[in-house]
Amino acid sequence: MRPSWDEYFMEIARVAATRSTCLRRKVGAALVKDKRILTTGYNGAPAGLNHCLDIGCLRAAMEIPSGQRHELCRGLHAEQNALIQAAVHGIPIQGSIIFVTHQPCVLCAKMIVNAGIRKVVFAGDYPDELSLEIFKEADIELQRFS
């Protein structure tokens, strides 16, 4: 059967997640507008830096729970990388939809709000209630993908 548009774009996000170099959670994202893929992203270290896959995870070594102390992670989140790719290549994303394999964290939620993204479609959970509150206050449509 032919997939729906949401199924198609979420599958693209899932494929992007396979490039992740994070040891704890593999996340992918796809920014879409008018049924066209604008950019994709996955979580991992900044370009040219060592990956956690190669040197280990500081957060795991310090036993930091998911959803806490993001500043101690050397990686960028999938949503951040998708937004950065748009900026680097001059791709306007205002009014777009972001498909993410997991619920965005509060840091990504704030960036998504300021980028003018109108809708977030996410599949997996993430322990960050504040991000959901920010999306609600910003009137950004949230859709849990099942």
Side-chain angles (χ1 to χ4, degrees):
M1 288 189 52
R2 189 174 187 207
S4 70
W5 284 111
D6 283 359
E7 290 168 335
Y8 174 72
F9 293 128
M10 187 57 75
E11 188 61 27
I12 298 296
R14 286 184 178 128
V15 169
T18 66
R19 294 278 308 149
S20 171
T21 58
C22 180
L23 296 170
R24 290 169 54 133
R25 186 184 311 257
K26 304 215 178 288
V27 181
L31 267 171
V32 175
K33 189 170 186 181
D34 299 327
K35 297 181 183 165
R36 297 176 85 75
I37 299 166
L38 303 176
T39 65
T40 61
Y42 55 88
N43 54 334
L49 299 186
N50 291 320
H51 295 284
C52 298
L53 206 61
D54 302 320
I55 63 171
C57 175
L58 176 63
R59 291 169 51 85
M62 296 175 72
E63 298 181 359
I64 297 171
S66 289
Q68 298 178 19
R69 305 290 315 269
H70 295 282
E71 75 277 7
L72 294 177
C73 179
R74 67 185 289 112
L76 292 157
H77 290 186
E79 303 94 322
Q80 294 168 341
N81 273 323
L83 293 168
I84 290 166
Q85 287 303 307
V88 165
H89 297 289
I91 300 168
I93 59 173
Q94 189 166 14
S96 64
I97 300 170
I98 190 164
F99 289 81
V100 193
T101 58
H102 293 78
Q103 174 193 316
C105 72
V106 67
L107 298 174
C108 291
K110 292 185 282 188
M111 291 180 194
I112 288 167
V113 169
N114 273 5
I117 294 170
R118 67 178 177 84
K119 182 177 179 179
V120 177
V121 180
F122 67 95
D125 290 324
Y126 190 73
D128 196 333
E129 290 297 316
L130 183 55
S131 70
L132 299 176
E133 292 174 24
I134 285 176
F135 286 133
K136 183 177 181 178
E137 184 177 343
D139 201 29
I140 292 179
E141 183 181 349
L142 285 178
Q143 178 184 329
R144 182 178 296 276
F145 184 83
S146 51

